[in-house]
């Protein structure tokens, strides 16, 4: 009887939270960062980690220095700056990139990123998403670019990369990249609506492009739609190498400001991917079907749960 009462109380509180936070469109906020910490501080380490330097254009000069990723005036500022110490790090510039890999990932939902950047030869910032490991290697695992801009262009780009579009070259079956004139030096909200059958890009709430899951099995068998598993978020200021964005001006300081990041989900998000294991009575699952504990674990204090949508006994609730 005590277990039933505990479950009932938890579900009642969670239902109240759901009602309070659900928007008119059925989406509920499950992750956000308003970057309101003190100037000069690092972004919240429970949500963000510095990206790793590797050999791709965007990450070839990444640094964990706070000089290239810090909070300023209520925004995350990612920078590309002339390297202040080439004696210990022999690269001409260092660049900032933060990601939620291993901290937060999700399957299906709505993302909004408010940002602005500075136009200059070699500028190459982005707000984008990559598959949370374990996943197929790039590009088979997929990539979703919510926003990119290059050089001094007043243009915003929105693109996906897959085995189908990149390796096989089928970029127009269906169309997989979109762009429009945009005054990128002013604040705009760049969004993505990710559903099981489509990706829809928005700018300031207006649709600017969409990519649909194919109904042709041969396309699917060749990697046309890898967007059915969890992805994490990346915010970065990179610089070009001449292949798309121009070569970097290594004496210039590039900056992109991210005012906020918000992720929303509907209560039905990911439900088709859930696998029920063992007794359904007390186990708690996230929307990727992973067991995160039991009702008893959180009955005294639901604040110990990461905000998001959870399932218990085949019913869903939201923790803010």
């Amino acid at each position: 009887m005590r277990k039933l009462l505990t479950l009932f109380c938890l579900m009642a509180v969670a239902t109240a939270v759901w009602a309070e936070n659900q928007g008119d469109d059925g989406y509920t906020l499950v992750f956000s960062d308003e970057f309101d910490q003190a100037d000069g501080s690092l972004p919240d380490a429970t949500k963000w980690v510095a990206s790793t330097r590797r050999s791709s254009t965007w990450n070839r000069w990444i640094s964990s220095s706070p000089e290239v990723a810090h909070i300023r005036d209520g925004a995350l500022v990612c920078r590309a700056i002339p390297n202040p110490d080439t004696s210990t790090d022999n690269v001409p510039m260092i660049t900032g990139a933060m990601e939620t890999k291993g901290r937060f990932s999700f399957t299906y939902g709505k993302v909004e990123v408010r940002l602005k950047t500075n136009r200059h030869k070699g500028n190459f910032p982005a707000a984008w998403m990559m598959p949370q490991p374990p996943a197929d290697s790039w590009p088979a695992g997929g990539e979703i670019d919510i926003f990119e801009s290059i050089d001094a262009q007043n243009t915003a780009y929105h693109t996906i990369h897959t085995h189908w579009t990149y390796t096989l070259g089928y970029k127009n079956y269906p169309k997989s990249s979109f762009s429009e004139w945009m005054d990128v030096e002013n604040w705009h909200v760049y969004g993505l609506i990710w559903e099981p059958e489509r990706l829809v890009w928005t700018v300031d709430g207006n649709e600017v492009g969409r990519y649909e899951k194919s109904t042709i099995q041969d396309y699917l068998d060749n990697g046309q739609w890898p967007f059915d598993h969890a992805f994490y978020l990346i915010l970065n200021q990179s610089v070009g190498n001449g292949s798309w964005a121009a070569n970097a001006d290594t004496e210039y300081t590039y900056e992109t400001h991210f005012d906020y990041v918000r992720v929303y989900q509907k209560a039905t998000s990911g439900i088709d991917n859930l696998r029920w294991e063992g007794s359904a009575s007390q186990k708690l699952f996230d929307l990727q079907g992973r067991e995160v504990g039991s009702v008893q674990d959180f009955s005294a204090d639901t604040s110990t749960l990461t905000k998001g949508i959870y399932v218990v006994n085949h019913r869903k609730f939201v923790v803010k």
Side-chain angles (χ1 to χ4, degrees):
M1 186 63 169
R2 177 176 294 180
K3 289 183 178 180
L4 290 176
L5 287 173
T6 299
L7 176 59
F8 177 80
C9 291
L10 179 59
M11 293 300 293
V13 171
T15 300
V17 172
W18 166 263
E20 178 183 351
N21 296 292
Q22 188 178 34
D24 293 339
D25 57 2
Y27 283 101
T28 300
L29 186 68
V30 296
F31 173 90
S32 68
D33 202 330
E34 307 296 316
F35 303 118
D36 288 334
Q37 300 97 310
D39 282 3
S41 63
L42 295 173
D44 187 342
T46 67
K47 300 177 180 179
W48 303 95
V49 62
S51 299
T52 302
R53 181 182 295 184
R54 299 190 187 279
S55 58
S56 297
T57 301
W58 77 274
N59 58 22
R60 71 195 189 278
W61 294 338
I62 280 178
S63 169
S64 59
S65 168
E67 287 294 311
V68 293
H70 57 255
I71 305 300
R72 188 199 312 159
D73 297 329
L76 170 64
V77 180
C78 289
R79 311 170 78 207
I81 65 174
N83 187 357
D85 186 2
T86 56
S87 66
T88 59
D89 187 5
N90 188 26
V91 293
M93 303 190 81
I94 55 174
T95 66
M98 304 301 297
E99 60 189 43
T100 65
K101 183 179 180 180
R103 303 291 199 271
F104 171 77
S105 61
F106 67 102
T107 307
Y108 312 135
K110 179 171 67 174
V111 186
E112 293 179 341
V113 184
R114 187 171 188 257
L115 67 88
K116 65 179 181 179
T117 191
N118 54 356
R119 297 187 300 119
H120 189 80
K121 176 186 175 183
N123 191 37
F124 185 23
W128 52 303
M129 297 165 58
M130 286 288 284
Q132 176 66 35
D136 291 336
S137 59
W138 192 90
E143 174 184 325
I144 306 172
D145 299 329
I146 301 171
F147 164 88
E148 290 180 302
S149 184
I150 61 169
D151 299 327
Q153 294 182 11
N154 266 320
T155 305
Y157 293 90
H158 326 280
T159 309
I160 60 99
H161 298 290
T162 66
H163 177 75
W164 177 255
T165 65
Y166 187 85
T167 309
L168 300 181
Y170 296 130
K171 297 181 179 181
N172 292 303
Y173 299 95
K175 182 177 173 62
S176 60
S177 184
F178 307 86
S179 64
E180 70 283 332
W181 184 92
M182 186 60 52
D183 55 337
V184 296
E185 291 187 308
N186 289 315
W187 292 111
H188 292 282
V189 178
Y190 300 93
L192 175 79
I193 299 171
W194 176 17
E195 298 175 338
E197 307 294 332
R198 67 190 56 82
L199 297 166
V200 179
W201 289 268
T202 61
V203 177
D204 297 329
N206 300 309
E207 181 177 333
V208 294
R210 64 172 51 204
Y211 184 80
E212 302 272 356
K213 181 178 181 179
S214 179
T215 58
I216 301 173
Q217 190 59 48
D218 181 61
Y219 289 14
L220 298 176
D221 290 343
N222 281 281
Q224 187 267 337
W225 186 264
F227 307 114
D228 54 6
H229 52 262
F231 276 61
Y232 63 91
L233 299 161
I234 307 172
L235 308 177
N236 72 282
Q237 172 67 70
S238 185
V239 286
N241 65 355
S243 59
W244 186 34
N247 285 313
D249 179 350
T250 58
E251 301 301 317
Y252 182 76
T253 294
Y254 300 82
E255 289 191 348
T256 298
H257 296 230
F258 300 92
D259 183 38
Y260 62 71
V261 178
R262 299 170 183 167
V263 179
Y264 306 80
Q265 287 184 311
K266 292 184 177 180
T268 55
S269 296
I271 190 65
D272 292 337
N273 295 328
L274 288 174
R275 294 189 306 170
W276 305 103
E277 304 175 13
S279 170
S281 60
Q282 298 294 305
K283 290 186 176 181
L284 202 64
F285 297 86
D286 66 16
L287 288 184
Q288 279 72 54
R290 298 172 295 206
E291 184 180 344
V292 297
S294 68
V295 170
Q296 289 89 341
D297 295 334
F298 306 103
S299 59
D301 183 10
T302 56
S303 68
T304 58
L305 270 171
T306 303
K307 65 176 66 175
I309 300 174
Y310 295 89
V311 180
V312 62
N313 202 15
H314 293 232
R315 297 180 63 187
K316 297 177 289 295
F317 65 92
V318 171
V319 173
K320 183 179 179 182

